[in-house]
Every structure is written in C-alpha cells, then in structure tokens.
Amino acid sequence: MPKRKGITVSRQIMDSQRSHPEATGELTGLLNDLIVAGKIISSEVNMAGLADILGQSGQINVQGEQVQKLDDFANLTIKRRMEQCGYVCIMGSEEDEGTIPVLDGYEGKYTLAFDPLDGSSNIDVNVSIGTIFSIHRRKSHGKQGELDDLLQKGREQVAAGYIIYGSSTMLVYTVGEGVQGFTLDPSVGEFFLSHPDIKIPERAKYYSINEAYSRYWYDSTTAYIEHLKDLDESGERSYSLRYIGSLVADFHRNLINGGVFVYPRDRKSPDKPGKLRLLYEAAPLAFLVEQAGGRAIDDQGRNILDVEPQDLHQRVPLIIGSKEEVNLAERFFTGKV
Ligand code: P6P
C-alpha cells in the first residue's frame, strides 16, 4: 500500500474556500498561480549551482543593491505569471521602482506586493532564501489598480506568506485562519501539509540582530541587547544569538523554535528607519506572526499591522517574534526600562 502523502496545499486552500460560502474562488486561484511561480523558482534555485545562473546580473535595483541573476529570474517569473492570472489588478515588487500593471483585460480584485527573492546576497553560498508575498483586496473601481490599492495597512491583508528555499522548500501562509506550513515533495511537484496550525513559542532565549552595527545603535537598542546578554538569576548565560542575514530564514527559525528578530534604525543611516520594507517584508511577516500567536512592532511600540504605508518601498524598524520576547523588547525601545 503506497504511503499516504497527506493534504496538498491546493486541497487545503479549497477547503478554506469551502468554509466561506461567499468566496468566489479568486483568492484560491491567485494563491495557486503564485504557488506555481514558487515551484518554478524553487527548481531554479535548487539547480543554481549547476546552471549558469549564480552571481550578479550587473544591474542595480531600486534599493541600490546588486541584482543577482536569480533575483531577476524570480521577479520575472512572478510578474509574468501573475500579470495574466486574472485575479490581480496591480503589483509591487522589491525589484521594481514603480507599480507593475497587469495585462489589459486581466484585471482582478486583489493586489500583490512581493519580495521575489529575499536574502539573495546569500544565493552563492547556499544559505536559505525566500519569496515573501502580501495580498490585499483592491479599493479602487477602475480597470487597472492604483498605487493606493497597494498602500494599505497590514491589518487589511487578505493573505500573506513566504516560500523558503532551503534544505527543503516550504510554503508558509495565512488567510487569517491560523498559519499553515507545507513542504514541497519535488518528486511529485506538490506541497504537502507538514506543519498544520503553526504556533510560535511564547518565549525563547534566542535573539537575531546584526551585532556588527552595535557601534551605531541608539541607546535603547544597546540597553536591550546588553540585557539579553546579561547572566540570568542563576549566573548562567541566558540568550543565544542566531542571525543568518536572510530575513525569511531568520524569521522561519524563530517561528518554529521561538525567538525575536530585531532590525532597528541606527545612527549609521539616521534618515532611514532601518533596512527592511513595510509592504512586502514587515507587514506580511507581521500578519503571519500574529496569526501564530506572536507580535510585530516598530521601535515606537506601534503594531506593524497598523503602520500606514506612504510609499511602495517604505522602510520600517522591525521587532518581531515570540510574544513575551517582543513585549520585553518593547519596554526597552519605548523607555519603560
Ligand atoms: P544586514 C537581505 O539582504 C536582507 O534584506 C534580509 O533578508 C536580511 O534580514 C537583511 O537584509 C540583512 O541585513 O544589514 O544584517 O546584512
């Protein structure tokens, strides 16, 4: 008797749709098309060492960063598939300065913001990288979507998730009914439910921050990290540092094992509130972590999901992870300690 493979992501999405009689199936279609793009990217990422696709394309993206060839491939794969899926009216990508239209006649009722391949500077050294996505319902009523359709608060998200290309390829997503994790079985090209209803541990003594910037930290950041590094009541070292430098990988580890990830603003770039982007990095991960029982705030203690976007590539300081760990961080960043 062949071993049962379990529930596929398509079946899970359909079951979720069935529990909403008013659902039209468009979100289901959107997610399924996005998942196909993820499978194509996964195949390319996993062969990168063999194909001539490693390394830099020679272009510079809107963030002023070297575009890796796989970045390009991932960005084009998602744009080409989603511009004609019929479920999306406008897109925003970390790799594109402006908004991305869909093909005429294929306008749908959702918007898609995405980071096609986050952590791509790690591609050549085989560190886990990922695609992050955020989906809103459009507000405008014309044919093509408008920028304002993308500039919605994270709390208004309809769905969000990431695909992490690591030792295995996993899809982790939410439609507001908890967080589900699926693992790709490349032998059949299907994502199977492997982590049902993920909950992040309320506390865990792991913190993720790039300590190389400590000379630029504001006092609140320094005080918080020094506190974590203090000995605990029994004189033992308390917290451990885990930092990969790939947001999706750091977030995924903390989601499963617990911990807190911090990317604060610093004196090195006083005009920039940190490095990470609100629309297609912080907000989708904040939706996921809150659905998994965690928290995500900025360095003023504001819930990331309540931050009003003003710009497609808006940055935001990010403190995200286990509820108790974020609560502790919040006390330091908001001067309560
Ligand atoms: P730093 C990768 O370039 C990225 O955008 C995120 O994936 C990651 O968390 C962050 O930058 C790492 O930044 O400044 O520590 O190298």
Side-chain angles (χ1 to χ4, degrees):
M1 183 66 174
K3 188 173 175 304
R4 278 174 59 84
K5 288 272 189 189
I7 297 172
T8 64
V9 63
S10 312
R11 163 77 187 287
Q12 174 86 16
I13 294 170
M14 280 304 293
D15 287 351
S16 174
Q17 176 191 316
R18 281 194 199 97
S19 64
H20 295 273
E22 74 286 1
T24 62
E26 290 178 79
L27 180 60
T28 296
L30 194 171
L31 289 169
N32 281 324
D33 276 340
L34 198 51
I35 287 163
V36 172
K39 289 178 185 175
I40 294 167
I41 296 167
S42 174
S43 165
E44 210 63 28
V45 165
N46 291 333
M47 284 193 312
L50 305 172
D52 172 29
I53 200 157
L54 282 183
Q56 298 173 0
S57 65
Q59 296 162 287
I60 303 290
N61 69 13
V62 63
Q63 324 293 343
E65 296 164 344
Q66 271 290 349
V67 176
Q68 303 282 346
K69 289 178 183 173
L70 266 174
D71 278 279
D72 248 353
F73 176 83
N75 196 35
L76 283 173
T77 299
I78 295 171
K79 289 197 294 187
R80 292 264 162 76
R81 182 157 295 275
M82 303 313 288
E83 70 182 2
Q84 55 184 324
C85 70
Y87 306 117
V88 171
C89 64
I90 191 169
M91 293 182 273
S93 167
E94 197 240 15
E95 294 294 332
D96 288 53
E97 180 148 14
T99 59
I100 303 155
V102 299
L103 295 190
D104 198 25
Y106 287 86
E107 301 84 359
K109 71 180 184 185
Y110 294 106
T111 72
L112 174 65
F114 60 95
D115 185 348
L117 207 55
D118 181 82
S120 53
S121 52
N122 295 291
I123 288 174
D124 295 3
V125 293
N126 215 8
V127 165
S128 299
I129 50 185
T131 299
I132 310 172
F133 60 90
S134 169
I135 297 164
H136 282 90
R137 200 170 277 102
R138 75 178 298 171
K139 295 187 303 183
S140 65
H141 301 289
K143 282 187 65 158
Q144 287 285 342
E146 298 164 10
L147 175 59
D148 279 350
D149 289 313
L150 286 164
L151 299 183
Q152 296 185 58
K153 286 183 182 179
R155 198 166 293 288
E156 306 303 319
Q157 289 175 101
V158 174
Y162 58 84
I163 299 171
I164 181 169
Y165 312 102
S167 49
S168 62
T169 292
M170 272 194 73
L171 163 70
V172 177
Y173 84 98
T174 182
V175 291
E177 297 164 352
V179 177
Q180 311 303 327
F182 297 81
T183 300
L184 181 66
D185 177 340
S187 67
V188 295
E190 266 299 350
F191 280 104
F192 290 96
L193 183 64
S194 54
H195 298 68
D197 200 21
I198 297 175
K199 291 297 177 199
I200 186 170
E202 283 231 338
R203 66 177 67 242
K205 291 186 176 300
Y206 290 104
Y207 71 100
S208 307
I209 191 168
N210 189 335
E211 294 230 8
Y213 300 145
S214 56
R215 71 176 61 241
Y216 305 115
W217 289 346
Y218 288 104
D219 293 349
S220 55
T221 307
T222 303
Y224 169 57
I225 299 300
E226 287 311 308
H227 172 77
L228 298 187
K229 292 159 77 169
D230 269 348
L231 298 180
D232 63 19
E233 301 75 49
S234 55
E236 294 299 316
R237 182 181 53 79
S238 43
Y239 283 72
S240 291
L241 171 63
R242 294 285 185 277
Y243 192 77
I244 301 174
S246 178
L247 175 61
V248 175
D250 279 317
F251 177 83
H252 185 71
R253 184 200 53 250
N254 290 347
L255 181 70
I256 303 300
N257 291 346
V260 60
F261 174 95
V262 183
Y263 206 109
R265 75 182 76 223
D266 62 30
R267 294 191 177 90
K268 185 161 172 279
S269 317
D271 57 323
K272 291 177 185 159
K275 174 180 185 182
L276 302 178
R277 312 292 169 168
L278 174 60
L279 280 185
Y280 42 76
E281 290 175 336
L285 297 185
F287 187 20
L288 281 167
V289 85
E290 207 161 276
Q291 284 288 314
R295 283 191 73 199
I297 60 174
D298 69 6
D299 58 0
Q300 315 296 316
R302 288 184 305 175
N303 189 315
I304 292 291
L305 297 178
D306 295 327
V307 176
E308 189 80 48
Q310 306 298 328
D311 171 82
L312 201 52
H313 302 293
Q314 176 173 334
R315 298 163 185 259
V316 67
L318 181 61
I319 302 159
I320 187 168
S322 296
K323 182 187 290 184
E324 293 305 318
E325 304 306 334
V326 174
N327 290 346
L328 173 62
E330 180 181 28
R331 291 178 51 225
F332 281 86
F333 279 92
T334 57
K336 293 187 177 63
V337 175

